[in-house]
Amino acid sequence: MSTTPEPRNEPSEDEVWADLVSRLKEDSDSTLLGQAETPDGPVGPAAASEPSRPAGAGFSRFDPLNVSKADDSPPPRPVSGAMAGPRDYSPPEDDSDAEFVPAEPASLATVEPAIALGWVGAVGAPIALLLAAMFWRGLPWFAIVGLVLAFIGSAGYLIYRMPGHRDHDDDGAQV
C-alpha cells in the first residue's frame, strides 16, 4: 500500500471550454418541444431521458433576445392579460382633439364701481401724464397736480381694499 496520494488529473482550460460548449449545444430547440437529442438521435420526451434536469432548461430556454432563432421574424405580440415589456407601451389615445377654450371672463357690470374707478385712476393717470408730456407741453399745472393726486388716491384706495389676512395653505390655484 502506498501512502502518497495519487495526483489528480485536472482538465485543461480547453477541455473545460469544450465541455461547456457541448453542453450548450445539447440544449437545442427540440428540447423545448419535449424531445432530447442523444448521440443516437432524438428519442422520447426530455423528462424520460434526463430526469435530473427539467425539460427545456438551458440556453435555449433562456433567450430573451431570441438570438438562437434562425429566422428574422419579429417576436409575437403578447396576448392580452400577459405581461408586457417596456417596448410594448403605447401612450393612451387622447379622446379630446379639441383645443383648450378658457372660461368666459366675468362681466365688468358685476365689478364694484369704486374699484373700477380706482383702476381707471391708477392706470389712466400715469398714461395721461405721459401723453401730456409728449404731445401737450403747455398743460396747466393744476391738471398735472390733479392727475398726480388721482393716481395717489386711486392706488391708495386699491391698497386699502386688499384683503387684510392671508391663508398660508392656499396657493391661489382654482379649478
Side-chain angles (χ1 to χ4, degrees):
M1 288 194 133
S2 169
T3 58
T4 60
E6 293 183 20
R8 283 187 175 177
N9 189 6
E10 296 282 332
S12 69
E13 288 183 23
D14 292 331
E15 291 172 347
V16 172
W17 185 256
D19 180 47
L20 177 64
V21 169
S22 67
R23 280 190 275 155
L24 287 175
K25 285 183 180 179
E26 284 176 8
D27 297 330
S28 66
D29 287 337
S30 65
T31 307
L32 289 176
L33 298 174
Q35 297 179 353
E37 288 190 22
T38 62
D40 299 334
V43 294
S49 66
E50 294 184 29
S52 63
R53 218 165 47 174
F59 176 73
S60 297
R61 178 76 174 141
F62 178 75
D63 192 12
L65 300 177
N66 295 324
V67 175
S68 65
K69 289 190 177 182
D71 61 347
D72 292 332
S73 64
R77 302 285 299 169
V79 295
S80 63
M83 288 183 57
R87 292 186 182 195
D88 295 331
Y89 172 76
S90 62
E93 294 182 16
D94 189 16
D95 293 336
S96 63
D97 291 335
E99 293 184 19
F100 173 72
V101 179
E104 233 5 81
S107 172
L108 288 178
T110 61
V111 176
E112 190 175 328
I115 292 178
L117 188 60
W119 278 109
V120 168
V123 174
I127 291 174
L129 283 173
L130 180 66
L131 291 175
M134 290 185 339
F135 299 116
W136 190 8
R137 295 294 235 168
L139 185 67
W141 64 272
F142 59 88
I144 295 173
V145 171
L147 287 173
V148 170
L149 289 175
F151 170 74
I152 293 172
S154 298
Y157 180 74
L158 291 175
I159 291 171
Y160 172 75
R161 289 296 306 255
M162 286 179 63
H165 64 284
R166 179 176 177 186
D167 187 10
H168 293 286
D169 294 332
D170 185 19
D171 62 357
Q174 294 180 4
V175 178

